[in-house]
Amino acid sequence: MKRRRLTLLVAAVVLMGGLSALFFLTLRGFLRESLLEPILQRWFVIRWYVGRISQALLWNVLTLGGGIFLLRAVLRRRSRGPLREGRPPSLDDPTDELDRLTRTIRLAPRRRLYRALLKRDLAGIAIRLVGRREGLSPNEARARLLDVRLHGKLGVAAFFTDQNLEQMGFLDTSFTRNLDETLSFLEGYFKEA
């Protein structure tokens, strides 16, 4: 690993030295006329304009911008609640798998990432539950969940077919309807077990 890093470092230094020599020897006049002089001229013009601005006005604008940024951060923090440091754990802090799943279900209607996490978690639970209950392998249990003819619930099959985060659009009523149908389907399995 160290040998590879050393080889890459030596190659980078040689390449940088070769390019520097190429630019210094062949393109020196071109770089000065087309790149450095316009940059320096613009820099001096900008400095001249900034020098003409009243320092009191400049500092007032910067202070006002910082105050707005600070006020926005404070208001945003207040809407989120108190700081988590030094606070005893509450019901919002997931401590086990059931708490985490409950929190994911609560946040899924508002956030796309939580919808994807919920689909992933429920798919794993459902596949294990159906597989254990009916003595099937995980692939067979997944096929059973996707086959509408076996359980007669379109929402369950639709819930497990769309596993990609990229394919999930904005929240529509079909997500909550499919989630409700899937949860009632899983409740039925729990009651029968």
Side-chain angles (χ1 to χ4, degrees):
M1 190 66 145
K2 289 182 180 181
R3 184 177 215 154
R4 185 176 183 192
R5 286 182 185 173
L6 184 63
T7 306
L8 286 174
L9 182 65
V10 168
V13 168
V14 168
L15 182 65
M16 189 172 58
L19 289 175
S20 297
L22 175 73
F23 285 135
F24 180 75
L25 296 175
T26 59
L27 302 174
R28 189 170 41 185
F30 172 75
L31 286 176
R32 184 180 56 230
E33 291 172 5
S34 65
L35 198 71
L36 292 178
E37 287 178 3
I39 289 174
L40 289 175
Q41 287 174 352
R42 287 188 181 99
W43 171 252
F44 286 123
V45 169
I46 290 171
R47 281 192 58 198
W48 182 77
Y49 277 127
V50 171
R52 296 283 180 195
I53 295 174
S54 166
Q55 287 294 312
L57 175 70
L58 185 63
W59 281 109
N60 285 336
V61 168
L62 289 174
T63 305
L64 180 67
I68 290 171
F69 180 73
L70 181 64
L71 183 64
R72 188 173 143 220
V74 166
L75 291 177
R76 193 179 273 177
R77 172 58 65 189
R78 233 184 234 171
S79 68
R80 289 185 190 161
L83 293 174
R84 292 188 182 265
E85 299 160 358
R87 188 179 65 157
S90 69
L91 294 176
D92 290 340
D93 300 328
T95 54
D96 62 357
E97 188 175 353
L98 185 61
D99 288 341
R100 185 177 55 81
L101 187 60
T102 305
R103 182 170 187 250
T104 304
I105 290 171
R106 190 176 64 237
L107 293 173
R110 291 175 291 178
R111 297 185 182 162
R112 184 191 290 192
L113 176 64
Y114 283 96
R115 287 194 295 271
L117 292 173
L118 179 62
K119 285 185 173 197
R120 184 200 64 196
D121 291 346
L122 279 181
I125 291 170
I127 288 170
R128 286 192 309 263
L129 185 64
V130 170
R132 187 177 301 141
R133 172 100 175 141
E134 299 183 14
L136 301 172
S137 71
N139 289 335
E140 292 170 335
R142 182 174 189 70
R144 179 168 272 238
L145 285 169
L146 293 173
D147 193 0
V148 179
R149 293 173 293 160
L150 293 176
H151 51 73
K153 298 190 183 249
L154 291 171
V156 175
F159 194 81
F160 292 118
T161 55
D162 188 20
Q163 289 292 321
N164 284 348
L165 183 62
E166 293 84 20
Q167 292 177 355
M168 291 185 345
F170 293 105
L171 179 64
D172 54 2
T173 56
S174 67
F175 176 79
T176 54
R177 187 180 64 242
N178 294 344
L179 176 62
D180 289 340
E181 195 168 335
T182 303
L183 290 176
S184 68
F185 175 74
L186 292 176
E187 279 178 18
Y189 261 96
F190 279 120
K191 286 178 184 176
E192 292 173 9

